[in-house]
Amino acid sequence: MDYIKELDIRLDKEFYYAGEILVGRVILDTSENFKLKSIRLVLRGKAHAEWKVIVSGDKRTVKDDQYYIDERAVIWGQQSNDGDHGTVPILQRGHHEFPFRFCIPETNLPCSFESRACQIRYYIKVTLDIPYASPPQGIKYFTIIGPHIDCMEEQYLKPVSGQDKKVKCCLCCAKGPVTLSCSLERSAYCCGETLKLKAVIDNQGEDSAKLKVRLLQFCDFFVERGVLGVTKDVEHLVLEYKGESINPTEKSDTVTNLRIPTLPTTMINVCRLVQIYYQLVVCLEFDKTGDDLQIIFPITIATVPFRIPNSNLQPILGYDLACDHVEGGIYIGPEFLLGEVYDGFTSNENEPREISPLYRPVYITVIKSSQQMASKSADKRLNKN
């Protein structure tokens, strides 16, 4: 419609938590007067899973949906149940702003998430109800930070530890044991926080060994179809660390600090279509045999960071995109990619092209933790003295 120069939705911010008030306005700029029955809004949160499977040699698509929010409002004009009776109001030409507000349900909402197999999206949709015309529409996506997982909950503050031991036997002779003992201060972390792994290695064997630490992401997708349903599993390496070689008869006591990159939040029994969880795998690899000792720690990626008890120092938080090698950061939906426009310049095919997606979800990350702030304050006091 030529007389509508702009139709846009603007929000006060780009990310929200469950229970917050979503505030925004619809921007409408027109070049002439026209009849307008109403301006309708829909607030929706929806998870959609879809992928292809092979059944009896045929490729088929399986898909499923789950809704979390579905609220509606009329911010101008007639209600939809008023029918066509009466005079249709006329909207004067010019620039118009229509404010609105929604209360986001205070429930355990899953975080916004983008992957090829499943998307969890929250958005506001506006529709202009114009008589005898196709209704113009606009849509605005925003991020939900969730579900609510606090690192200060008792179940996450308990230290966790594990041990693995190996004794190599050759005929009647048993070689010395190799022992790996590890511990973590807690089991839940926000993105940006530092995970401190204490490892004690006692190598009484005949082969040198190295400590290897991996943080893995697991995503289980599920579509209800038939009795058992259809599943799809994806695994990604988040980060990896390799220590120095430990020679036979040596003992090593190390502390490894690993900064958690920006990742989607742990989601277990929150969304019916996807489960996201993480594991810290600590291994001891032997140079010659390749055999290893292994300890696995479940790691929870939370949305509320660790705070020092009885302290006024609060961590400084930010919001960032997920790293580009995990689910939630790899995939960008085609509907969010801007079309390429020829600008008169030829580009080298070997050069990476800049991508400007219209929307990508963000996740909470700790810019400066309470421990870092406390350590800095302590250093300042020492310098004054």
Side-chain angles (χ1 to χ4, degrees), residues 167-271:
V167 178
K168 186 176 180 181
C169 297
C170 181
L171 298 177
C172 298
C173 178
K175 306 298 181 182
V178 180
T179 306
L180 171 64
S181 302
C182 298
S183 63
L184 294 172
E185 295 177 338
R186 50 192 171 99
S187 60
Y189 300 85
C190 269
C191 303
E193 290 188 315
T194 299
L195 180 151
K196 184 180 292 186
L197 173 69
K198 296 181 180 180
V200 178
I201 303 167
D202 188 4
N203 186 5
Q204 299 301 317
E206 294 183 331
D207 194 3
S208 298
K210 289 182 180 179
L211 180 70
K212 184 170 78 171
V213 183
R214 293 177 297 157
L215 180 61
L216 302 177
Q217 180 199 52
F218 297 89
C219 294
D220 299 340
F221 304 103
F222 183 80
V223 168
E224 290 187 355
R225 187 170 181 269
V227 179
L228 300 178
V230 182
T231 60
K232 180 183 179 72
D233 303 328
V234 179
E235 176 183 335
H236 291 288
L237 175 64
V238 177
L239 58 83
E240 184 177 37
Y241 165 83
K242 289 186 178 181
E244 297 180 355
S245 182
I246 302 169
N247 298 321
T249 70
E250 287 186 352
K251 186 174 182 179
S252 173
D253 190 344
T254 62
V255 176
T256 304
N257 294 317
L258 302 174
R259 185 179 182 276
I260 306 295
T262 307
L263 304 167
T265 314
T266 296
M267 287 197 299
I268 299 177
N269 298 327
V270 177
C271 177

Side-chain angles (χ1 to χ4, degrees), residues 26-207:
V26 173
I27 307 297
L28 181 58
D29 198 352
T30 64
S31 59
E32 61 182 68
N33 303 341
F34 67 97
K35 291 184 177 181
L36 178 62
K37 285 185 179 180
S38 62
I39 301 177
R40 303 193 306 270
L41 285 181
V42 174
L43 169 64
R44 183 164 292 160
K46 173 185 174 183
H48 175 76
E50 179 178 342
W51 64 86
K52 295 186 182 297
V53 296
I54 297 177
V55 180
S56 302
D58 297 330
K59 185 175 287 188
R60 300 179 183 178
T61 300
V62 294
K63 55 186 177 180
D64 198 358
D65 295 323
Q66 184 177 5
Y67 289 88
Y68 300 97
I69 307 174
D70 191 5
E71 298 187 9
R72 302 168 187 270
V74 176
I75 60 174
W76 190 87
Q78 304 171 347
Q79 298 287 342
S80 59
N81 57 1
D82 289 347
D84 296 329
H85 304 292
T87 304
V88 177
I90 296 178
L91 184 70
Q92 300 295 321
R93 68 180 181 180
H95 180 83
H96 303 273
E97 295 191 8
F98 303 96
F100 63 85
R101 54 194 289 129
F102 284 99
C103 181
I104 299 175
E106 196 168 359
T107 58
N108 203 25
L109 295 175
C111 63
S112 300
F113 179 72
E114 291 286 325
S115 73
R116 189 174 298 276
C118 179
Q119 304 89 41
I120 303 175
R121 294 172 178 171
Y122 299 87
Y123 59 87
I124 293 279
K125 183 178 180 181
V126 60
T127 302
L128 304 184
D129 189 1
I130 301 175
Y132 311 110
S134 298
Q137 295 181 337
I139 193 167
K140 171 69 175 179
Y141 290 88
F142 61 92
T143 294
I144 286 291
I145 306 296
H148 179 81
I149 303 175
D150 192 344
C151 290
M152 298 300 291
E153 292 182 16
E154 185 178 354
Q155 58 178 323
Y156 302 127
L157 288 175
K158 296 178 181 178
V160 291
S161 60
Q163 185 181 77
D164 198 3
K165 187 175 182 181
K166 176 181 178 182
V167 178
K168 186 176 180 181
C169 297
C170 181
L171 298 177
C172 298
C173 178
K175 306 298 181 182
V178 180
T179 306
L180 171 64
S181 302
C182 298
S183 63
L184 294 172
E185 295 177 338
R186 50 192 171 99
S187 60
Y189 300 85
C190 269
C191 303
E193 290 188 315
T194 299
L195 180 151
K196 184 180 292 186
L197 173 69
K198 296 181 180 180
V200 178
I201 303 167
D202 188 4
N203 186 5
Q204 299 301 317
E206 294 183 331
D207 194 3

